[in-house]
Amino acid sequence: MTESTTYESTTYEPASPGPAKVVAITGASSGIGEATARRLAADGHRLLLGARRSDRLEGLAKELDAGGGTAQFQHLDVTDAADVRAFVHAAEERFGRLDVLVNNAGVMPLSPLDELRTDEWDRMIDVNVRGVLHGIAAALPVMRKHGGGHFVNIASVGAYEVSPTAAVYCATKFAVRAISEGLRQESTGDIRVTLVSPGVTKSELADHITDPAARAAMRTYRAVALPASAIADAIAYAVAQPPQVDVNEIVVRPAASAQ
């Protein structure tokens, strides 16, 4: 997909990232997940990267290691609760603990409701909502065993507004927002929760759109788009805060866009 306006930001200069943490990132093979891995590796954190495309993860982990970072990878399907548990336990086994889980994996096959693409609805619910819940269920006991942790859940500006063809997608992101706020309220200081809601961002999300009209509309909508590194910077900011500071919500939009 071609965007008419883009912004480049690929060189990371760590700015007081704080102590090194163990961070697990879902959906790390491309887009926001990959950019977050690059930024957090530059900040000195130790990473476990998860996604279904293991070949991409392997290449990214090797690149980060060669650049002085510490990154390992594991195949991950967030719709499979057992797979997510294995992913979280792998982080603990390899690095001794898990400090941060970035629940980033997501899909966005937009279409009007009257197209009745129920298989795509189910896929969005499974990845975007159940994937986050599986991450929380797997990581919460591990984090608490080691004294606390931090969930960074990736939502969307669609968590605050609804647009045509995006009803189900927005519903999943509203759910992620609600789940994040519920987890924050139920925590007693040991668990931090950050909701990051990107506006239009360069990624492969729109590649999942099979409805022709929705796909064409998204090309126009994405004419002005942030680089994924802008979202990675926001995540890095939240992760770098001291333990007594919980950055609850960050919304990041292109300055040149009204969306």
Side-chain angles (χ1 to χ4, degrees):
M1 184 172 297
T2 301
E3 287 92 5
S4 63
T5 303
T6 59
Y7 307 85
E8 295 302 327
S9 174
T10 56
T11 301
Y12 297 114
E13 295 295 336
S16 301
K21 296 177 181 178
V22 176
V23 183
I25 305 171
T26 74
S29 62
S30 66
I32 291 171
E34 178 184 350
T36 300
R38 293 182 184 280
R39 173 57 200 262
L40 295 185
D43 284 351
H45 301 297
R46 294 179 290 170
L47 310 179
L48 180 63
L49 312 178
R52 292 180 299 161
R53 294 177 291 188
S54 298
D55 55 335
R56 288 198 182 188
L57 293 179
E58 182 176 13
L60 177 59
K62 287 181 178 179
E63 181 184 344
L64 296 178
D65 282 344
T70 301
Q72 297 188 27
F73 72 95
Q74 180 157 314
H75 178 273
L76 173 65
D77 179 355
V78 298
T79 69
D80 184 333
D83 216 26
V84 179
R85 286 194 298 271
F87 177 66
V88 167
H89 290 153
E92 184 183 26
E93 290 170 3
R94 298 178 194 186
F95 298 117
R97 64 183 194 273
L98 175 62
D99 300 307
V100 183
L101 175 62
V102 181
N103 277 314
N104 166 70
V107 294
M108 190 183 70
L110 306 182
S111 65
L113 289 171
D114 63 8
E115 289 285 337
L116 305 180
R117 296 175 184 255
T118 57
D119 56 337
E120 294 184 351
W121 302 350
D122 290 342
R123 180 67 179 162
M124 281 188 279
I125 292 168
D126 285 344
V127 175
N128 299 355
V129 181
R130 289 195 176 94
V132 170
L133 290 171
H134 290 162
I136 292 170
L140 194 54
V142 172
M143 289 178 177
R144 285 195 160 140
K145 180 173 69 173
H146 293 283
H150 189 178
F151 289 93
V152 179
N153 297 332
I154 309 303
S156 163
V157 292
Y160 301 86
E161 58 193 30
V162 181
S163 56
T165 75
V168 178
Y169 175 74
C170 292
T172 66
K173 295 306 184 178
F174 268 77
V176 172
R177 183 181 170 201
I179 292 164
S180 300
E181 178 60 10
L183 179 59
R184 184 194 69 81
Q185 292 187 24
E186 292 173 8
S187 300
T188 56
D190 57 334
I191 300 298
R192 299 193 297 173
V193 183
T194 300
L195 182 76
V196 178
S197 296
V200 183
T201 304
K202 291 184 65 176
S203 73
E204 297 178 3
L205 264 184
D207 296 345
H208 300 126
I209 301 174
T210 59
D211 179 80
R215 191 177 181 91
M218 186 52 59
R219 289 194 183 97
T220 301
Y221 185 78
R222 293 169 64 85
V224 178
L226 291 166
S229 57
I231 312 305
D233 290 342
I235 294 169
Y237 168 78
V239 169
Q241 298 309 301
Q244 70 272 22
V245 177
D246 188 0
V247 178
N248 301 145
E249 296 190 31
I250 304 177
V251 179
V252 186
R253 291 183 172 95
S257 173
Q259 280 83 20

Coordinates of all heavy atoms in Angstrom, one line a residue, residues 78-81 84-85 88 101 103 105 125-141 151 153 172 175-176 178-180 183:
V78 N -1.1 -16.0 19.3 CA -1.8 -15.4 20.5 C -3.2 -16.0 20.7 O -3.8 -15.8 21.8 CB -1.8 -13.9 20.5 CG1 -0.4 -13.4 20.5 CG2 -2.6 -13.3 19.4
T79 N -3.8 -16.6 19.7 CA -5.1 -17.1 19.8 C -5.1 -18.5 20.6 O -6.2 -19.0 21.0 CB -5.8 -17.4 18.5 OG1 -5.1 -18.4 17.8 CG2 -5.8 -16.1 17.6
D80 N -3.9 -19.0 20.8 CA -3.8 -20.3 21.5 C -3.2 -20.0 22.9 O -2.1 -19.6 23.1 CB -2.8 -21.2 20.7 CG -2.6 -22.5 21.3 OD1 -2.8 -22.7 22.5 OD2 -2.2 -23.5 20.6
A81 N -4.1 -20.2 23.9 CA -3.7 -19.9 25.3 C -2.5 -20.6 25.8 O -1.6 -20.1 26.5 CB -4.9 -20.1 26.3
V84 N 0.6 -19.0 24.4 CA 1.0 -17.8 25.1 C 1.6 -18.1 26.4 O 2.6 -17.5 26.8 CB -0.2 -16.9 25.2 CG1 0.1 -15.6 26.0 CG2 -0.8 -16.5 23.9
R85 N 1.1 -19.1 27.1 CA 1.7 -19.5 28.4 C 3.2 -20.0 28.1 O 4.1 -19.6 28.9 CB 0.9 -20.6 29.0 CG -0.4 -20.1 29.7 CD -1.0 -21.2 30.6 NE -1.3 -22.4 29.9 CZ -2.5 -22.7 29.3 NH1 -3.4 -21.7 29.4 NH2 -2.7 -23.8 28.7
V88 N 5.4 -16.9 27.6 CA 5.7 -16.1 28.8 C 6.7 -16.9 29.7 O 7.7 -16.4 30.2 CB 4.4 -15.8 29.6 CG1 4.7 -15.4 31.0 CG2 3.6 -14.8 28.9
L101 N 5.2 -7.0 29.3 CA 4.6 -7.7 28.2 C 3.9 -6.7 27.3 O 3.0 -5.9 27.8 CB 3.5 -8.7 28.7 CG 2.8 -9.4 27.5 CD1 3.7 -10.2 26.6 CD2 1.7 -10.3 28.1
N103 N 1.4 -6.4 24.6 CA 0.4 -7.1 23.8 C 0.1 -6.3 22.6 O -0.8 -5.4 22.5 CB -0.9 -7.2 24.7 CG -0.8 -8.3 25.7 OD1 -0.5 -9.4 25.3 ND2 -1.2 -8.0 26.9
A105 N 0.0 -7.9 19.1 CA -0.5 -8.6 18.0 C -2.0 -8.2 17.7 O -2.8 -8.0 18.6 CB -0.5 -10.1 18.2
I125 N -11.8 -10.9 16.9 CA -12.1 -11.2 18.3 C -11.0 -12.1 18.9 O -10.5 -11.8 20.0 CB -13.5 -11.7 18.5 CG1 -14.5 -10.7 18.2 CG2 -13.7 -12.2 20.0 CD1 -15.9 -11.3 18.0
D126 N -10.6 -13.1 18.2 CA -9.7 -14.1 18.7 C -8.3 -13.4 18.9 O -7.6 -13.7 19.9 CB -9.5 -15.3 17.7 CG -10.7 -16.2 17.8 OD1 -11.5 -16.1 18.8 OD2 -10.9 -17.0 16.9
V127 N -7.8 -12.7 17.9 CA -6.5 -12.1 18.0 C -6.5 -10.8 18.9 O -5.7 -10.7 19.8 CB -6.0 -11.7 16.6 CG1 -4.6 -11.0 16.7 CG2 -5.8 -13.0 15.8
N128 N -7.4 -9.9 18.6 CA -7.3 -8.6 19.3 C -7.8 -8.6 20.7 O -7.3 -7.8 21.5 CB -8.2 -7.6 18.5 CG -7.7 -7.4 17.1 OD1 -6.7 -7.9 16.6 ND2 -8.4 -6.6 16.3
V129 N -8.8 -9.5 21.0 CA -9.3 -9.5 22.4 C -8.8 -10.7 23.2 O -8.1 -10.6 24.2 CB -10.8 -9.5 22.4 CG1 -11.4 -9.5 23.8 CG2 -11.4 -8.3 21.7
R130 N -9.0 -11.9 22.6 CA -8.6 -13.1 23.4 C -7.0 -13.1 23.5 O -6.5 -13.6 24.5 CB -9.1 -14.3 22.7 CG -10.6 -14.6 22.9 CD -11.0 -16.0 22.5 NE -12.4 -16.2 22.8 CZ -13.4 -16.0 21.9 NH1 -13.1 -15.7 20.7 NH2 -14.7 -16.2 22.2
G131 N -6.4 -12.6 22.4 CA -4.9 -12.6 22.5 C -4.4 -11.8 23.7 O -3.5 -12.1 24.4
V132 N -5.0 -10.6 23.9 CA -4.7 -9.8 25.1 C -5.0 -10.5 26.4 O -4.2 -10.5 27.3 CB -5.4 -8.4 25.0 CG1 -5.2 -7.6 26.3 CG2 -4.8 -7.6 23.8
L133 N -6.2 -11.1 26.4 CA -6.5 -11.8 27.7 C -5.6 -13.0 27.9 O -5.2 -13.2 29.1 CB -8.0 -12.3 27.6 CG -9.0 -11.2 27.6 CD1 -10.4 -11.7 27.3 CD2 -9.1 -10.5 29.0
H134 N -5.2 -13.7 26.9 CA -4.3 -14.8 27.0 C -3.0 -14.3 27.6 O -2.3 -14.9 28.4 CB -4.1 -15.5 25.7 CG -5.3 -16.3 25.2 ND1 -5.4 -16.7 23.9 CD2 -6.4 -16.7 25.9 CE1 -6.5 -17.3 23.8 NE2 -7.1 -17.4 25.0
G135 N -2.5 -13.1 27.1 CA -1.3 -12.5 27.6 C -1.4 -12.2 29.1 O -0.4 -12.5 29.8
I136 N -2.5 -11.6 29.4 CA -2.6 -11.2 30.9 C -2.7 -12.4 31.7 O -2.0 -12.5 32.8 CB -3.9 -10.4 31.0 CG1 -3.7 -9.0 30.3 CG2 -4.3 -10.2 32.5 CD1 -5.0 -8.2 30.3
A137 N -3.4 -13.4 31.3 CA -3.6 -14.7 32.1 C -2.2 -15.4 32.3 O -2.0 -15.9 33.4 CB -4.6 -15.6 31.4
A138 N -1.4 -15.3 31.2 CA -0.1 -16.0 31.3 C 0.9 -15.2 32.1 O 1.7 -15.8 32.9 CB 0.4 -16.3 29.9
A139 N 0.9 -13.9 31.9 CA 2.0 -13.1 32.5 C 1.7 -12.6 33.9 O 2.7 -12.4 34.7 CB 2.3 -11.9 31.6
L140 N 0.5 -12.4 34.3 CA 0.2 -11.8 35.6 C 0.7 -12.7 36.7 O 1.4 -12.1 37.6 CB -1.4 -11.7 35.7 CG -1.9 -10.8 36.9 CD1 -1.2 -9.4 36.8 CD2 -3.4 -10.6 36.8
P141 N 0.6 -14.0 36.8 CA 1.1 -14.7 37.9 C 2.7 -14.7 37.9 O 3.3 -14.6 39.0 CB 0.6 -16.2 37.6 CG -0.5 -16.0 36.7 CD -0.3 -14.8 35.9
F151 N 2.1 -4.2 31.9 CA 1.4 -4.5 30.6 C 1.3 -3.3 29.8 O 0.8 -2.3 30.2 CB 0.0 -5.1 30.9 CG 0.0 -6.5 31.5 CD1 0.0 -6.6 32.9 CD2 0.1 -7.6 30.8 CE1 0.0 -7.8 33.5 CE2 0.1 -8.9 31.3 CZ 0.0 -9.0 32.7
N153 N -0.6 -2.5 26.4 CA -1.6 -3.0 25.5 C -1.8 -2.1 24.4 O -2.1 -0.9 24.6 CB -2.9 -3.3 26.2 CG -2.8 -4.3 27.3 OD1 -2.0 -5.2 27.2 ND2 -3.6 -4.2 28.4
T172 N -13.4 -4.4 19.2 CA -12.3 -5.2 19.8 C -11.3 -4.2 20.5 O -10.8 -4.5 21.6 CB -11.5 -6.0 18.8 OG1 -10.8 -5.2 17.8 CG2 -12.4 -7.0 18.1
A175 N -12.8 -3.0 23.6 CA -12.6 -4.1 24.6 C -11.2 -4.0 25.3 O -11.1 -4.2 26.5 CB -12.9 -5.4 24.0
V176 N -10.2 -3.8 24.4 CA -8.8 -3.8 25.0 C -8.7 -2.6 25.9 O -8.1 -2.7 27.0 CB -7.8 -3.6 23.8 CG1 -6.4 -3.3 24.3 CG2 -7.8 -4.9 23.0
A178 N -11.2 -1.3 27.7 CA -11.9 -1.6 29.0 C -11.1 -2.6 29.8 O -11.0 -2.5 31.0 CB -13.3 -2.2 28.6
I179 N -10.5 -3.6 29.2 CA -9.7 -4.6 29.9 C -8.5 -4.0 30.6 O -8.2 -4.3 31.7 CB -9.3 -5.7 28.9 CG1 -10.5 -6.6 28.4 CG2 -8.2 -6.6 29.5 CD1 -10.2 -7.4 27.2
S180 N -7.9 -3.1 29.9 CA -6.7 -2.4 30.4 C -7.1 -1.6 31.6 O -6.4 -1.6 32.7 CB -6.1 -1.5 29.3 OG -5.6 -2.2 28.2
L183 N -7.9 -3.9 34.6 CA -6.7 -4.4 35.2 C -5.9 -3.4 36.0 O -5.4 -3.7 37.1 CB -5.7 -5.0 34.1 CG -4.4 -5.5 34.5 CD1 -4.6 -6.7 35.5 CD2 -3.5 -6.0 33.3

